Amino acid sequence: MQTLPARIRTSARIAGHFVLRSGKTSDTYFDKYQFESDPQLLRAIAEAMAPLVPPGTEVLAGLEMGGIPIVTMLSQVTSIPAAFIRKEPKDYGTCRYAEGAPLQGKRFILVEDVVSSGGAIIDAMSKLKADGMVPEIALCVIDRQSGGAEALMAAGLALKALFRFQDIESA
């Protein structure tokens, strides 16, 4: 039976030439939609992430788009309500950028799939802070170890990763 990092590697690791969200290039890409679309693997990831959720967390907030499946399954596993953070507010209906469980006045964390530069989390955190909401920490499945944790720390948010790039690579 494969370890969880090996299962993620088998499912999602692709070799080639890729441009990351940060604009940097890499010869390795993690197609998170491959592990997020496999119900057994996604559940195993959420179960492994559950102990990383700080005690007292009232809401799990997943970032669009890759953080949404992770946060939904993590919510199922922990019984903590979920919220969904859009990159941009809707321009119709409620016009919100945060959907689902309310965040105002709650202890919440941000949940992401793969962190490279930390840019998506920093963007979301900026919107939230402007509205008086500050996340406790950020959780991710994979920290690519390419400066994201350091950028988040500089922005005032700690990152806890289920696995680091090297954990997946050596699996």
Side-chain angles (χ1 to χ4, degrees):
M1 187 157 134
Q2 284 187 318
T3 64
L4 186 53
R7 289 172 64 195
I8 293 170
R9 178 183 164 96
T10 300
S11 170
R13 185 187 184 282
I14 303 170
H17 182 76
F18 304 95
V19 177
L20 305 176
R21 180 190 185 277
S22 64
K24 294 180 183 176
T25 59
S26 176
D27 61 359
T28 303
Y29 185 75
F30 293 105
D31 184 355
K32 65 250 181 189
Y33 301 114
Q34 296 307 305
F35 65 73
E36 292 175 344
S37 63
D38 177 328
Q40 287 78 31
L41 183 52
L42 183 58
R43 176 169 287 282
I45 289 167
E47 288 170 348
M49 286 182 82
L52 300 178
V53 176
T57 298
E58 298 174 283
V59 181
L60 307 168
L63 274 60
E64 180 187 359
M65 175 164 151
I68 301 298
I70 304 288
V71 82
T72 301
M73 185 63 79
L74 189 57
S75 175
Q76 287 292 306
V77 167
T78 62
S79 296
I80 298 172
F84 312 105
I85 309 299
R86 296 176 182 278
K87 292 175 185 162
E88 297 296 327
K90 294 189 309 187
D91 59 0
Y92 59 91
T94 61
C95 300
R96 294 182 189 149
Y97 67 87
E99 302 283 359
L103 298 173
Q104 196 67 257
K106 302 284 185 179
R107 291 186 63 197
F108 70 96
I109 64 169
L110 297 178
V111 179
E112 184 62 301
D113 47 18
V114 179
V115 172
S116 295
S117 68
I121 295 172
I122 291 169
D123 290 349
M125 195 170 68
S126 296
K127 288 183 187 98
L128 292 161
K129 280 186 171 182
D131 288 334
M133 298 176 282
V134 181
E136 303 267 319
I137 63 164
L139 292 184
C140 69
V141 178
I142 302 169
D143 175 2
R144 286 187 58 94
Q145 298 176 283
S146 55
E150 295 79 6
L152 289 169
M153 189 56 73
L157 190 66
L159 177 68
K160 286 187 181 180
L162 180 60
F163 299 113
R164 295 166 298 152
F165 180 83
Q166 67 188 36
D167 300 325
I168 304 297
E169 284 296 284
S170 64

